[in-house]
Amino acid sequence: MEQKSNVQYRAEKEYKNSREKFFLLLREVLSNSIHAVIIRENKDNTLIPKIDLNITLRDNECKILLRDNGEGFNQLNRECFEALDKINSEKARYKFHPLGQGHLAIVYFADSAIYETVYKDELGVYWKQDIPYPNVSDGLFDLEGFSKEKVESIDTYTQLTLIINKPQTLGRARTFFKSRENIDALKL
């Protein structure tokens, strides 16, 4: 489990001098969703991959809502999320170039995030868990610290809600959308 100070240091080192801050954040979260649905689609031939993206830009806030019907935070995904440099073997198999550091962008650019996930465990039981991120405790990625509940579900998903209020990143988001005719053009 990674310590918060180490992760924040690495995130700042990785992204501090980046000019395309908002684009990097958007790229990271979208690629994770795309990878999740492709991996699940290859396991379940009947799956129709679905990713929904909704971006709301207001005067003092940018809100990104991203939902996919991938596997959710199953055991392998949980392990990769909790350990910063652990490479997801499923992503590596599909040559998605997993570096194990995608969530550094969220730590650095977003003010708050909430992952809502429904996943199936090894016994076929569906669980729902809300994960506030970054966590305020020292163990930034400790998913066991958050309650989960058994649910009657027939599908898995992950929904990420990001809130951006940081002036510099919010300014980058505004600049990013000035050069695009509308936010809806980004929807998948």
Side-chain angles (χ1 to χ4, degrees), residues 25-62:
L25 173 64
L26 202 56
R27 182 189 72 189
E28 290 296 337
V29 297
L30 281 171
S31 65
N32 284 339
S33 284
I34 291 168
H35 295 166
V37 296
I38 290 173
I39 289 170
R40 182 167 174 219
E41 180 185 31
N42 281 297
K43 292 179 179 180
D44 178 1
N45 294 333
T46 62
L47 177 75
I48 298 172
K50 186 172 183 183
I51 298 174
D52 293 316
L53 174 65
N54 186 4
I55 301 173
T56 308
L57 191 58
R58 296 191 181 115
D59 289 340
N60 60 351
E61 174 182 276
C62 180

Side-chain angles (χ1 to χ4, degrees), residues 5-162:
S5 60
N6 293 343
V7 172
Q8 289 173 328
Y9 171 77
R10 285 185 61 182
E12 185 171 325
K13 185 176 174 185
E14 181 81 19
Y15 295 113
K16 184 176 183 178
N17 295 320
S18 172
R19 304 189 77 174
E20 296 294 330
K21 291 176 175 28
F22 183 76
F23 172 73
L24 290 172
L25 173 64
L26 202 56
R27 182 189 72 189
E28 290 296 337
V29 297
L30 281 171
S31 65
N32 284 339
S33 284
I34 291 168
H35 295 166
V37 296
I38 290 173
I39 289 170
R40 182 167 174 219
E41 180 185 31
N42 281 297
K43 292 179 179 180
D44 178 1
N45 294 333
T46 62
L47 177 75
I48 298 172
K50 186 172 183 183
I51 298 174
D52 293 316
L53 174 65
N54 186 4
I55 301 173
T56 308
L57 191 58
R58 296 191 181 115
D59 289 340
N60 60 351
E61 174 182 276
C62 180
K63 181 178 179 180
I64 301 171
L65 183 67
L66 180 63
R67 183 180 174 117
D68 66 61
N69 64 342
E71 294 181 304
F73 277 56
N74 62 19
Q75 187 60 37
L76 175 62
N77 294 332
R78 297 167 74 77
E79 289 171 9
C80 293
F81 189 82
E82 289 178 338
L84 190 59
D85 291 317
K86 182 170 176 134
I87 293 177
N88 186 322
S89 58
E90 289 183 335
K91 286 186 174 188
R93 185 177 322 134
Y94 294 106
K95 299 184 175 147
F96 290 148
H97 305 290
L99 300 175
Q101 301 178 26
H103 39 292
L104 287 177
I106 294 172
V107 170
Y108 189 71
F109 298 124
D111 291 289
S112 67
I114 297 176
Y115 284 92
E116 176 185 307
T117 185
V118 170
Y119 63 94
K120 189 171 24 171
D121 68 12
E122 306 80 33
L123 302 174
V125 177
Y126 287 91
W127 296 93
K128 180 178 185 277
Q129 187 171 30
D130 290 338
I131 305 162
Y133 184 76
N135 185 6
V136 292
S137 69
D138 283 338
L140 192 61
F141 305 117
D142 182 14
L143 300 183
E144 295 306 317
F146 303 110
S147 64
K148 60 184 179 182
E149 62 181 291
K150 191 185 298 187
V151 293
E152 297 295 323
S153 182
I154 57 170
D155 204 5
T156 57
Y157 70 87
T158 299
Q159 178 174 293
L160 172 62
T161 305
L162 289 170

